Amino acid sequence: MEKTHMIQNVLNILPFGIGYIKLLVNSRGETEDYMFLDMNPAFEKLTGWHRTDVLEKKASESSGVVNLAGAHWLAYFDNVVRSGKAQETTQWIEAFKRYLKITVIPDKELTFALILREASDEIMQPGGEDHEDPLPEEMSVLFNKTHDAISLVEYRNGEFHFIRNNAVHQRLTGLSDIAGMTPVQLVGEEVGAKLETYYEQCLRTGRPVGYEQSFNFEPGDRVWQTEVTPVFSGGGIRYLLCSSKDVSELKKAQKENEILTQRLHAMFNRHSAVMLIVEPVSGRIVDANPSACKFYGYTREELQCLLIHDLNVLPPDEIAKFRLMSCQEKQNFFVFPHRLRSGEIRTVDVYSCPISDGERVLLYSIIFDVTDREAYRKELSKEKEKLFTTLRSIGDGVVTTDSAGVISSLNSVAQDITGWTNDEAKGKLFTEVFHLLNEETGEPVENPIQKVLDTGRIIGLANHTVLVNRHGQYIPIADSAAPIQTENGETFGVVMVFRDVSDEKEHSRQIEFLSYHDPLTGLFNRRYVEKIMGSLDIAENLPISVIIGDINGLKITNDVFGQRAGDTLLQNVTSLLRENCNVDDLIARWGGDEFVVFMLRTSLKDAEEVIHKIMDTRIPVNGSGLLLSMSLGCASKKSMDTCIEGVMREAEESMCWIYVNIV
């Protein structure tokens, strides 16, 4: 009892603090707290704690012990006690605003003694020139072999000073010698102050401190991730080892990735296009953007509970095949019918491609509602079919070209007329297939397609145009060509409609022949003579001789022998005149029984000889044996001073009767 009292007196007068502590464990034997069993007056003085507030209380529940009740200190005490070996460390205790040398001496079972002493004079004393190298030899070798930038810092005279930096640090900072420099001197006041804060934290806690900082070094702006590690020596922290990794490129890549992610996120959530992300094997909808929710009528959560074939009305097996094709990048565009929540079916364009989220491959699909387009396309297809049907059934030939005059189509009638098939003609210039000539001159006709392209107006072919088809046949045609234009009037092609007018021209020739010829004799009639009289009465045709003849007794012949006999008589007279006149002479039936002959560049004497030839000719008429009586006279125009009508009157006045034998 006396011995115990003596020990207690010794403890009470010692100049350093001594506390007696017990670790508290749970049912699994794990240390979870501790409590003070006793402490001397010096301990109370150093800590400012009172025995009555601390003893027999859990450290975690005692407000006075909170600065030594953290997980770090608990783990430290536990390790020392379980090792059975005394440990000593020097730490900055923030609550006490001082450095303390802390010694832990294990006792029995879970108890230990905690000794606290002032340590201000022992912390980071500056080393003189005779101090040993702060790094062991093996660490000194690694100091310059590592890929990290390393610097060594010491605390002296109330300031942090760099004492050494390795080759990597020198290369990245552009500074070869930083010995003696403070953080502020090295990197400036603002950044230097931050570094000192980290260094102080490492000194106070005795634990490594990590930070990330941007620097503006001479080689360029860099970002470093640094870990400050305390280097213990002589029971205290003597140096701080700063190991830095240059993460500038990593931070740049992270920034770019962050920007890209933000862009993609904004595009996905704010784009008006419908977007779905689908799991390719199961078809489960992984995600949907707001536009998809609005379009389909489901919430995002509801869509994420659906499979894609809940929207696509095609059979699931067929949809799965399309997903596989898209996943294998064999096809990335599809047109599908999709069902909305309302039950309405909409036609959509789907553009899909495989993407990876780092763990799996998904299908990213952009979807556009094209219901109206497809409806318009169907309507356009119907109109196109109607147009083709019209082109196939129309009776005229139709050819279309592009803006360069290259044929794009021929209908069946055009193929029959030209002799070219549609496949043969397509892609050829219009002029290669359509050889157009003037029927009267044989000269090429202006290309109607080019004329339309040049003018932008509808044009028609000139009269007397013929097409020389592939077989060399000359086919008279009539046509019109018109521009094919856009809504704003831009011409992008030409359509030409043409037809074979051979029958029309033949019919026109027949009508013209009948209008200018006598149908019984085939001679020109009075109408024709009056029409061309002006073109005959020119100086180049002088002298112009005119013979006028009149059949006497035509009416009696008709009455006695009949109309047929009279017609035969007129035809025989026609033959008589043709046989005795020149080929170039114009012979016309002037009236019922009158004939006129215009003999160009023919003298009066030659005209009289023709009359004498006619007088010596026998004309057979039904074998009656009667004599034919005709009156014939002639006159001649020798100068332009005489009018042709006067010459005709003179010839008529000179007529005399001639009797011709009728067999």
Side-chain angles (χ1 to χ4, degrees):
M1 184 69 178
E2 184 177 341
K3 182 179 180 181
T4 301
H5 180 71
M6 183 183 65
I7 294 174
Q8 185 67 44
N9 288 335
V10 172
L11 292 176
N12 289 336
I13 64 174
L14 286 175
F16 47 84
I18 300 176
Y20 193 58
I21 301 174
K22 180 180 181 181
L23 295 177
L24 304 177
V25 298
N26 58 24
S27 59
R28 294 187 298 275
E30 299 170 344
T31 299
E32 59 181 13
D33 211 336
Y34 64 91
M35 68 168 58
F36 281 89
L37 300 178
D38 200 359
M39 61 180 61
N40 69 351
F43 197 99
E44 291 181 279
K45 183 178 180 180
L46 280 173
T47 63
W49 301 341
H50 299 287
R51 293 170 56 87
T52 56
D53 297 332
V54 174
L55 297 183
E56 303 295 333
K57 294 181 179 179
K58 290 183 178 180
S60 60
E61 297 175 355
S62 176
S63 59
V65 193
V66 68
N67 293 289
L68 290 178
H72 168 65
W73 285 108
L74 183 63
Y76 180 71
F77 295 156
D78 182 64
N79 289 334
V80 174
V81 171
R82 294 183 186 276
S83 69
K85 296 180 181 180
Q87 297 287 335
E88 185 175 82
T89 182
T90 302
Q91 298 287 331
W92 171 267
I93 306 301
E94 181 66 25
F96 308 147
K97 302 298 182 183
R98 70 183 73 183
Y99 283 99
L100 293 178
K101 178 174 287 188
I102 302 172
T103 305
V104 179
I105 303 173
D107 190 16
K108 55 184 178 180
E109 296 182 353
L110 298 176
T111 58
F112 62 92
L114 179 63
I115 301 174
L116 302 181
R117 290 176 292 176
E118 291 280 359
S120 301
D121 296 335
E122 302 176 20
I123 298 297
M124 302 201 60
Q125 294 295 329
E129 293 182 359
D130 297 333
H131 282 194
E132 62 183 44
D133 192 318
L135 294 176
E137 183 178 353
E138 61 273 13
M139 288 191 64
S140 183
V141 174
L142 293 175
F143 191 77
N144 285 310
K145 295 295 183 179
T146 181
H147 295 291
D148 296 340
I150 297 178
S151 59
L152 199 61
V153 179
E154 70 174 345
Y155 183 80
R156 66 173 181 262
N157 300 327
E159 289 185 327
F160 293 99
H161 292 270
F162 292 97
I163 61 174
R164 189 173 178 184
N165 63 332
N166 71 347
V168 177
H169 190 282
Q170 295 173 20
R171 175 171 55 82
L172 293 179
T173 62
L175 299 171
S176 59
D177 185 11
I178 64 173
M181 296 178 68
T182 67
V184 172
Q185 291 172 335
L186 181 67
V187 293
E189 185 173 349
E190 180 180 355
V191 178
K194 292 181 181 179
L195 298 187
E196 290 178 349
T197 301
Y198 299 131
Y199 298 164
E200 289 173 355
Q201 181 182 350
C202 184
L203 285 178
R204 289 196 304 269
T205 63
R207 301 176 63 189
V209 174
Y211 65 89
E212 183 174 288
Q213 182 63 50
S214 298
F215 296 98
N216 184 13
F217 296 128
E218 184 178 347
D221 294 340
R222 312 305 296 173
V223 179
W224 283 5
Q225 285 182 351
T226 302
E227 184 172 276
V228 182
T229 305
V231 178
F232 292 91
S233 178
I237 299 175
R238 187 169 184 183
Y239 304 103
L240 301 179
L241 184 68
C242 303
S243 177
S244 303
K245 294 182 180 294
D246 186 350
V247 294
S248 304
E249 298 302 323
L250 175 62
K251 300 300 290 187
K252 180 180 178 181
Q254 288 175 341
K255 183 64 176 178
E256 292 175 351
N257 185 64
E258 180 181 350
I259 293 173
L260 178 60
T261 301
Q262 290 175 349
R263 289 175 180 171
L264 294 176
H265 189 269
M267 181 179 69
F268 185 77
N269 287 297
R270 299 176 62 182
H271 203 288
S272 59
V274 175
M275 299 182 189
L276 295 177
I277 298 178
V278 179
E279 201 285 313
V281 177
S282 66
R284 183 176 64 85
I285 298 174
V286 176
D287 203 355
N289 72 342
S291 294
C293 300
K294 181 179 179 181
F295 176 67
Y296 290 107
Y298 294 96
T299 66
R300 179 171 177 265
E301 292 71 21
E302 288 173 332
L303 282 172
Q304 289 176 317
C305 294
L306 298 178
L307 299 176
I308 193 62
H309 64 251
D310 293 325
L311 303 178
N312 196 326
V313 300
L314 295 180
D317 291 346
E318 189 172 351
I319 301 171
K321 180 182 68 175
F322 291 137
R323 288 201 306 273
L324 179 60
M325 293 172 62
S326 182
C327 198
Q328 295 174 345
E329 298 190 77
K330 293 181 178 179
Q331 183 177 341
N332 64 353
F333 171 71
F334 308 91
V335 179
F336 289 138
H338 277 197
R339 180 186 290 109
L340 311 185
R341 184 171 193 166
S342 63
E344 181 184 1
I345 304 297
R346 305 291 291 181
T347 304
V348 296
D349 281 351
V350 179
Y351 297 84
S352 292
C353 67
I355 61 172
S356 175
D357 62 359
E359 297 179 357
R360 54 184 175 171
V361 175
L362 301 170
L363 285 181
Y364 176 71
S365 297
I366 302 177
I367 300 167
F368 298 95
D369 183 0
V370 294
T371 306
D372 294 339
R373 184 199 71 190
E374 291 301 306
Y376 177 75
R377 178 179 291 177
K378 289 180 181 178
E379 189 63 29
L380 188 62
S381 179
K382 290 180 182 178
E383 292 298 322
K384 187 176 181 181
E385 185 59 33
K386 288 180 183 178
L387 176 61
F388 284 155
T389 301
T390 301
L391 291 178
R392 286 194 295 267
S393 60
I394 195 172
D396 292 343
V398 179
V399 55
T400 59
T401 74
D402 62 15
S403 59
V406 175
I407 293 174
S408 55
S409 70
L410 293 177
N411 73 345
S412 58
V413 176
Q415 295 177 60
D416 293 339
I417 295 175
T418 62
W420 291 80
T421 67
N422 182 62
D423 292 339
E424 292 171 334
K426 188 182 297 185
K428 294 185 180 295
L429 288 172
F430 176 83
T431 52
E432 293 183 68
V433 175
F434 286 79
H435 300 285
L436 303 178
L437 304 176
N438 184 288
E439 185 177 23
E440 296 179 344
T441 65
E443 295 296 323
V445 172
E446 183 180 6
N447 181 356
I449 301 297
Q450 191 60 50
K451 190 172 182 180
V452 171
L453 292 172
D454 292 341
T455 64
R457 298 195 302 267
I458 300 174
I459 63 101
L461 273 181
N463 292 331
H464 310 295
T465 298
V466 294
L467 165 68
V468 183
N469 70 10
R470 194 176 190 182
H471 308 302
Q473 298 171 322
Y474 285 68
I475 301 174
I477 62 171
D479 81 342
S480 65
I484 305 174
Q485 297 178 329
T486 61
E487 292 182 357
N488 59 8
E490 181 182 355
T491 299
F492 64 91
V494 178
V495 57
M496 187 178 85
V497 180
F498 64 98
R499 67 183 188 279
D500 182 349
V501 294
S502 300
D503 293 341
E504 294 178 24
K505 291 186 70 68
E506 179 60 30
H507 183 63
S508 178
R509 281 194 292 269
Q510 291 177 2
I511 292 175
E512 183 180 8
F513 182 85
L514 292 175
S515 63
Y516 293 129
H517 290 77
D518 175 48
L520 177 63
T521 63
L523 298 175
F524 289 111
N525 58 19
R526 183 169 186 160
R527 180 183 178 191
Y528 179 75
V529 173
E530 290 175 344
K531 176 184 177 183
I532 68 167
M533 187 73 75
S535 62
L536 295 177
D537 190 13
I538 58 177
E540 287 81 357
N541 290 333
L542 296 176
I544 301 174
S545 296
V546 179
I547 297 176
I548 292 182
D550 189 356
I551 301 175
N552 299 316
L554 178 60
K555 185 176 184 306
I556 295 175
T557 302
N558 288 333
D559 293 341
V560 175
F561 297 102
Q563 184 70 36
R564 183 180 296 276
D567 292 344
T568 302
L569 178 60
L570 289 171
Q571 292 169 347
N572 287 340
V573 170
T574 298
S575 299
L576 177 65
L577 293 173
R578 285 175 171 167
E579 290 172 1
N580 291 281
C581 292
N582 296 322
V583 176
D584 296 334
D585 295 341
L586 191 155
I587 306 171
R589 184 180 177 185
W590 192 251
D593 56 1
E594 292 180 307
F595 294 86
V596 63
V597 180
F598 290 88
M599 308 177 74
L600 307 180
R601 296 177 293 280
T602 302
S603 65
L604 180 61
K605 180 181 179 181
D606 291 337
E608 291 175 342
E609 288 181 0
V610 172
I611 291 176
H612 288 300
K613 288 180 182 180
I614 294 173
M615 291 173 60
D616 296 335
T617 302
R618 297 171 63 84
I619 303 175
V621 179
N622 290 336
S624 63
L626 296 176
L627 294 176
L628 172 64
S629 173
M630 285 189 67
S631 297
L632 292 171
C634 65
S636 182
K637 176 179 177 175
K638 298 178 181 179
S639 71
M640 292 303 295
D641 296 335
T642 305
C643 68
I644 194 68
E645 289 83 0
V647 175
M648 291 180 68
R649 286 195 299 270
E650 183 182 348
E652 188 173 8
E653 292 172 355
S654 69
M655 286 194 302
C656 60
W657 284 19
I658 299 174
Y659 293 93
V660 180
N661 290 325
I662 299 177
V663 181

